[in-house]
Amino acid sequence: MLRPDHPSRQLTYVGFAVVVIVYLAIIQFGGLAVEHASGEKDIVTTRGVVYSMIIPLGLALAFTFLVVTRLGWWRPVLHDERPVSRWVWIVPVLMLVAIAAAIDYQALADKDPVFVLVLLLATQIVGWGEETMFRGVGVTVLREHGLSEGRVALWSSIVFGAVHLTNAIGHGASAIPQAIAVSLAGYFFYLIRRVSRGNVLNSVVHGLFDFSILTGTSIMVGQSGMSDRWPRSWSIRSWPSSSSSNAGGSNLHPPRTPTP
């Protein structure tokens, strides 16, 4: 008899690789196409967030949900039936504390509330998309191939970090340290999935994590002279640098130099 978290339909490693490649293509090349058509190449305005983040990432999220539906994997993706020690709850608690500390509340207070809400929505799309793909589908695939939970944690985190190397398309070798750091973050998201017994809390925390990074760095970039120095989000999409365009959104915060 099948376990509650054991899907009846299987996905091979090659099949999973194809799914991930399509997911990445939607984000990277679809994002470039949207930016070319819209003329928006930054995320410092509401319009820029919609075109550079919400549209391509929303399409990737829809694709991910379609894959899960086609496989009939909603239960193993959304529910984790494998218990873990209660002390692991310290991981989401510490991450939420770090997120709260990283957000630049003064900068957010100076911006249009609509921009803040749209950016929050965009980063939640990032969180739900990446967690569904890598901690949902990815973890399920690895478990179905008989890997121990230690190896599931290891390889799902490595794959998560490796796909961020696609950011080299626009930013070269700087994508390498990001991929390494993201692998570590992926392990923490895996632990949050395990301790919360599902894929919801890690998705929300992932989105808030990206939100804290963007609010604390990229939206603070000045409108001139800083076009290629702002730090990137941890999401797969490596956002283009800010420009002097101010159409469709609120004014930027006064220029200041990002921390290296």
Side-chain angles (χ1 to χ4, degrees):
M1 188 172 182
L2 295 176
R3 300 190 309 271
D5 63 343
H6 185 95
S8 58
R9 186 167 294 177
Q10 305 298 307
L11 184 64
T12 65
Y13 286 140
V14 172
F16 178 56
V18 170
V19 168
V20 170
I21 289 171
V22 174
Y23 175 80
L24 293 175
I26 293 172
I27 294 175
Q28 296 287 11
F29 298 109
L32 290 174
V34 171
E35 288 170 4
H36 179 74
S38 66
E40 287 290 338
K41 295 185 177 181
D42 61 57
I43 59 168
V44 294
T45 66
T46 303
R47 188 173 186 271
V49 172
V50 170
Y51 283 102
S52 293
M53 293 185 70
I54 289 181
I55 292 178
L57 291 168
L59 290 173
L61 178 63
F63 168 74
T64 303
F65 285 179
L66 180 63
V67 168
V68 176
T69 301
R70 182 70 180 85
L71 292 170
W73 282 13
W74 279 112
R75 181 168 182 81
V77 164
L78 291 178
H79 302 277
D80 200 305
E81 306 293 339
R82 309 189 182 203
V84 71
S85 299
R86 293 180 63 84
W87 67 263
V88 180
W89 274 108
I90 193 66
V91 175
V93 170
L94 290 178
M95 287 201 73
L96 288 172
V97 170
I99 288 167
I103 295 175
D104 191 325
Y105 300 99
Q106 180 180 353
L108 291 179
D110 291 340
K111 297 191 73 67
D112 185 342
V114 174
F115 171 85
V116 176
L117 291 174
V118 170
L119 185 64
L120 180 61
L121 172 62
T123 51
Q124 281 299 306
I125 292 175
V126 173
W128 282 86
E130 294 188 358
E131 291 305 303
T132 302
M133 178 59 71
F134 299 103
R135 250 66 61 189
V137 177
V139 163
T140 301
V141 168
L142 294 170
R143 285 175 174 172
E144 288 307 298
H145 282 78
L147 273 66
S148 66
E149 279 305 303
R151 291 186 176 184
V152 168
L154 174 64
W155 285 107
S156 64
S157 300
I158 289 175
V159 170
F160 180 57
V163 299
H164 285 74
L165 290 173
T166 59
N167 286 340
I169 292 175
H171 296 276
S174 63
I176 296 176
Q178 182 197 28
I180 295 172
V182 166
S183 291
L184 180 61
Y187 178 68
F188 291 136
F189 294 137
Y190 165 84
L191 290 178
I192 295 175
R193 172 187 165 90
R194 288 289 304 278
V195 75
S196 65
R197 306 290 292 273
N199 212 58
V200 174
L201 182 59
N202 53 307
S203 298
V204 173
V205 172
H206 187 149
L208 292 174
F209 183 69
D210 273 20
F211 180 76
S212 70
I213 292 173
L214 289 175
T215 57
T217 55
S218 65
I219 67 170
M220 302 301 298
V221 176
Q223 294 184 359
S224 62
M226 306 297 299
S227 63
D228 58 0
R229 294 190 56 191
W230 67 275
R232 290 176 292 281
S233 164
W234 296 96
S235 66
I236 291 172
R237 183 90 171 98
S238 186
W239 310 114
S241 58
S242 64
S243 68
S244 59
S245 171
N246 208 29
S250 58
N251 291 333
L252 296 174
H253 193 278
R256 68 176 69 172
T257 301
T259 302

